[in-house]
Amino acid sequence: MTTLTTSSSRRDLYRELTEAVLESMRTADPTDWRPPWSTGRPENALTHSRYNGINILSLALAKHEAGYPTHLWASYRQWQKLDAQVRKGEKGTAIIYARKLPPPSQD
């Protein structure tokens, strides 16, 4: 499966995710393949907030690729607050933060 990486140029996350899904489909057993995002919606382990948008697909693919047994995600500090330890060598997974902005004022 394609690993999502950063580079000095701006990333095209949608292209990377599309390539990762296609690679997953190409390398899977066709009689047993299930989409990685069908195993539970990603959720923050500390706040229990559910991830939205492109993060659902991104985290589901990362979970599938790494073989994680759960759909729970957290930052390093959040895992510490939960008395959990991140495994040596683990790397972070990109999260896209989006928020609604108020419309510009019509002064």
Side-chain angles (χ1 to χ4, degrees), residues 3 5 11-12 16-17 19 22-23 30 37-38 47-48 61 64-65 69 72 76 80-81 83 86 90-91 98 100 103:
T3 301
T5 58
R11 291 174 58 181
D12 184 351
E16 291 179 37
L17 288 173
E19 290 173 8
L22 292 174
E23 181 66 18
W37 54 88
S38 68
T47 66
H48 301 290
L61 286 167
H64 176 73
E65 182 178 300
L72 299 175
Y76 184 81
Q80 285 181 320
K81 287 181 183 178
D83 293 324
V86 175
E90 290 287 338
K91 302 291 182 196
K100 292 182 181 180

Side-chain angles (χ1 to χ4, degrees), residues 24 32-39 64:
S24 172
D32 193 37
W33 187 82
R34 290 189 321 168
W37 54 88
S38 68
T39 59
H64 176 73

Side-chain angles (χ1 to χ4, degrees), residues 21-82:
V21 169
L22 292 174
E23 181 66 18
S24 172
M25 292 172 71
R26 278 192 288 270
T27 59
D29 175 358
T31 62
D32 193 37
W33 187 82
R34 290 189 321 168
W37 54 88
S38 68
T39 59
R41 186 168 169 187
E43 178 181 316
N44 184 280
L46 182 65
T47 66
H48 301 290
S49 297
R50 298 173 95 189
Y51 289 94
N52 296 305
I54 195 70
N55 292 316
I56 296 170
L57 179 58
S58 176
L59 294 174
L61 286 167
K63 173 187 180 268
H64 176 73
E65 182 178 300
Y68 296 143
T70 179
H71 63 280
L72 299 175
W73 294 84
S75 69
Y76 184 81
R77 288 188 178 160
Q78 287 176 322
W79 286 123
Q80 285 181 320
K81 287 181 183 178
L82 293 168

